[in-house]
Amino acid sequence: MPIYITLQDLFLTPIYLLLIYSVLYFLRTSILDKEMRKFFIMGYTVKVVGAIFFGLVFQFVYGYGDTFFYFAGASIAREAFFENIDMYFQILFQNMDEYSDSHTYYYAYRMPYYGDKSSFTINKIGSVFSILSFNTYTINSLFFALLSFAGSWQMYKAWVDIYPVLKKQLAWAIFFIPSIFFWASGIVKDSVTFAALTFAFAAFHFGIICRRKVYINILVFLLCCYVLYIIKPYILLCFIPACGWWFYSQYTKQIKSPFLKGVFAPILLVVGGGLVFYSFTNLIKGTEYDLDRVAQKAFITADWIHQMSAEGSAYDIGLDQMDGTIGGMLKLYPKGIFITLFRPFVWEIKNFNMALAALENLILLFLTFQVFKNQKWGVILKRLKTEQMVIVCLIFTFFFSGIIGIVSSNFGTLVRYRIPILPFYTIALIILGYKRPKKRKLRKIKI
């Protein structure tokens, strides 16, 4: 079993932590809001804990994992950097089949996942951190955690800008969900895609909705969308409809005249919906996420699920309804949503990953029931109608969870795949369940 966490990690990690925290404490002074400020250091700290624990679990419990292949690829790219910086930049910025230097292939071919564009991208990002960290696994993880935290913080700022009275609740939903800071902090795809998604959300809010620093935010949004498209396109495919509705509801709300709203709202809906559909279909055309291919893939894996459902972490979503068509998938869609959000149950636990997910699911199910138990139905319906961000969250949650619930086939992968929707669904519950404090009546003083 190769050892990636060594004495070098033990000696250098505290030094880098001191440097990173020094920078963060300096940046913290620029946060004027005292309530937000206290979550700045805490938010990164849980990421650090998650990143270090992630590495230890995969090194000393499992003995292997994608994270070590990504680190090994980053190490090889780092070698190219110190031998010939031109070769390194070819690896970093050119497509795998366009290298102009034959020596570049010597390094690129040795890197794990060469030929797989999405995984190879993580090697490239990791190589930058590897150069900065003396090729130390744990320090590399700290940089991935910092990237993930930076996106989370931007997302937190955006949500606080929308709901300033919910700072504490929003912080818990974004920073402190265990699955997020465990799976989205180490040297894995999830750290990068979670950072890209959260940066994209914040850039969309500040740049397109609020029109602040428009050009910079649009550039950040497009760059993050590109990263999602390269690494995990299905996240982007589910995020686009949510952004489309967000844009539509925001700008129709600004039309004050009932007549003009009645005329232009349907036009905006048709045009906006058409653009979203066009973008959606062109993004997935010819890829493994093409709707026909997704349906066929779900059908092909059905037999395997049937054989393995009694063992390991596989689950059977409904073999008798699978026929390899979109219609067959749509029938299973509600079940896919439920599985993604609330399973595995506590009695289905088979390993550590499932135990972590099952505990979260129990809490998530409890919170869902609490919202509908404690909040008046009239208030819930009113907020669904007036609070556009609830709908934005639910669109992304239901699009995403339905698809991955059908296709994932086992809880082990589902635990990781569902990370992007956890803060969105939790925030939707927070908004729906929030009760404004009652105004206290002043007592009349008798004279």
Side-chain angles (χ1 to χ4, degrees):
M1 180 178 71
I3 301 296
Y4 291 93
I5 300 176
T6 63
L7 288 176
Q8 181 171 312
D9 295 73
L10 185 63
F11 289 116
L12 289 182
T13 299
I15 298 172
Y16 272 79
L17 277 174
L18 181 63
L19 291 172
I20 292 172
Y21 273 109
S22 297
V23 174
L24 291 179
Y25 269 101
F26 174 76
L27 295 174
R28 182 175 177 267
T29 58
S30 64
I31 303 171
L32 301 178
D33 189 295
K34 291 183 180 179
E35 194 170 357
M36 290 180 66
R37 191 189 304 161
K38 68 182 180 182
F39 293 114
F40 189 69
I41 299 300
M42 290 170 59
Y44 179 62
T45 300
V46 294
K47 291 284 186 183
V48 169
V49 172
I52 294 175
F53 188 52
F54 180 87
L56 292 174
V57 167
F58 276 88
Q59 177 68 83
F60 299 109
V61 177
Y62 297 117
Y64 67 96
D66 291 348
T67 181
F68 299 127
F69 292 117
Y70 295 133
F71 178 67
S75 302
I76 294 169
R78 178 180 179 272
E79 292 175 21
F81 173 82
F82 285 107
E83 179 173 330
N84 187 326
I85 196 167
D86 289 335
M87 288 193 304
Y88 175 71
F89 282 115
Q90 284 183 45
I91 293 172
L92 210 59
F93 297 113
Q94 291 184 1
N95 291 326
M96 289 177 283
D97 55 352
E98 295 177 356
Y99 296 141
S100 56
D101 189 337
S102 59
H103 288 88
T104 307
Y105 282 103
Y106 169 73
Y107 288 98
Y109 271 125
R110 290 164 54 215
M111 293 169 66
Y113 302 115
Y114 178 81
D116 181 349
K117 195 172 183 179
S118 65
S119 298
F120 200 69
T121 301
I122 308 303
N123 289 344
K124 293 179 182 181
I125 296 170
S127 70
V128 178
F129 298 147
S130 191
I131 292 167
L132 297 173
S133 66
F134 296 98
N135 198 37
T136 309
Y137 174 84
T138 305
I139 300 173
N140 210 320
S141 298
L142 296 182
F143 283 119
F144 271 89
L146 187 61
L147 177 65
S148 181
F149 167 71
S152 300
W153 182 255
Q154 286 300 112
M155 183 183 183
Y156 178 57
K157 286 169 62 178
W159 276 110
V160 169
D161 192 56
I162 302 168
Y163 295 105
V165 297
L166 298 174
K167 295 185 182 76
K168 185 177 180 180
Q169 297 91 324
L170 292 170
W172 279 97
I174 294 169
F175 298 119
F176 303 117
I177 295 178
S179 283
I180 295 176
F181 67 75
F182 179 77
W183 288 108
S185 298
I187 308 173
V188 282
K189 288 181 180 179
D190 305 282
S191 300
V192 178
T193 53
F194 191 76
L197 176 65
T198 48
F199 270 120
F201 178 90
F204 193 90
H205 169 71
F206 289 120
I208 297 175
I209 301 300
C210 299
R211 301 176 193 172
R212 304 177 203 164
K213 299 180 180 178
V214 175
Y215 297 113
I216 294 175
N217 279 305
I218 288 177
L219 181 62
V220 170
F221 177 76
L222 293 175
L223 178 62
C224 291
C225 287
Y226 177 74
V227 171
L228 289 173
Y229 177 70
I230 293 296
I231 301 176
K232 288 189 176 183
Y234 59 88
I235 298 178
L236 179 59
L237 299 179
C238 298
F239 188 53
I240 285 175
C243 288
W245 174 260
W246 191 359
F247 180 86
Y248 166 78
S249 59
Q250 175 67 24
Y251 283 93
T252 53
K253 188 169 63 175
Q254 295 177 11
I255 302 174
K256 302 300 181 184
S257 169
F259 173 75
L260 292 176
K261 185 175 286 190
V263 172
F264 287 107
I267 295 173
L268 282 173
L269 185 61
V270 171
V271 173
L275 288 172
V276 168
F277 180 76
Y278 177 79
S279 302
F280 187 91
T281 52
N282 276 272
L283 279 171
I284 63 176
K285 189 176 182 181
T287 70
E288 63 177 309
Y289 300 100
D290 192 308
L291 291 178
D292 291 330
R293 293 190 182 188
V294 168
Q296 191 62 29
K297 180 183 176 182
F299 179 68
I300 291 171
T301 57
D303 286 338
W304 179 86
I305 299 169
H306 178 70
Q307 295 171 16
M308 299 296 292
S309 59
E311 306 172 16
S313 58
Y315 61 82
D316 180 4
I317 195 170
L319 288 176
D320 55 334
Q321 298 179 56
M322 284 191 175
D323 55 6
T325 65
I326 298 300
M329 280 190 65
L330 291 176
K331 292 178 184 177
L332 297 172
Y333 214 82
K335 190 182 289 187
I337 293 171
F338 182 84
I339 288 174
T340 302
L341 291 177
F342 304 121
R343 288 184 65 188
F345 298 123
V346 288
W347 57 85
E348 295 176 312
I349 294 173
K350 299 287 178 65
N351 53 49
F352 171 77
N353 296 342
M354 291 177 68
L356 183 65
L359 180 61
E360 283 181 354
N361 293 342
L362 190 63
I363 296 171
L364 207 57
L365 190 60
F366 173 77
L367 290 176
T368 303
F369 278 125
Q370 283 295 103
V371 168
F372 290 98
K373 177 186 175 184
N374 297 333
Q375 190 64 282
K376 295 179 181 178
W377 281 93
V379 174
I380 292 175
L381 293 174
K382 184 180 178 181
R383 288 184 183 173
L384 287 171
K385 183 179 178 181
T386 59
E387 300 291 343
Q388 64 181 21
M389 296 311 299
V390 175
I391 304 300
V392 170
C393 289
L394 294 180
I395 287 174
F396 179 60
T397 298
F398 293 154
F399 263 77
F400 191 92
S401 58
I403 292 172
I404 65 169
I406 295 170
V407 176
S408 292
S409 77
N410 74 82
F411 293 122
T413 56
L414 186 64
V415 169
R416 296 177 67 169
Y417 285 169
R418 75 187 193 131
I419 288 170
I421 62 170
L422 289 177
F424 287 92
Y425 182 68
T426 307
I427 289 171
L429 293 179
I430 289 169
I431 299 169
L432 289 174
Y434 174 69
K435 290 186 176 182
R436 294 178 177 85
K438 294 180 180 179
K439 293 181 180 179
R440 292 182 179 180
K441 294 181 179 179
L442 295 175
R443 292 181 179 179
K444 291 183 179 180
I445 302 174
K446 294 182 179 180
I447 298 175

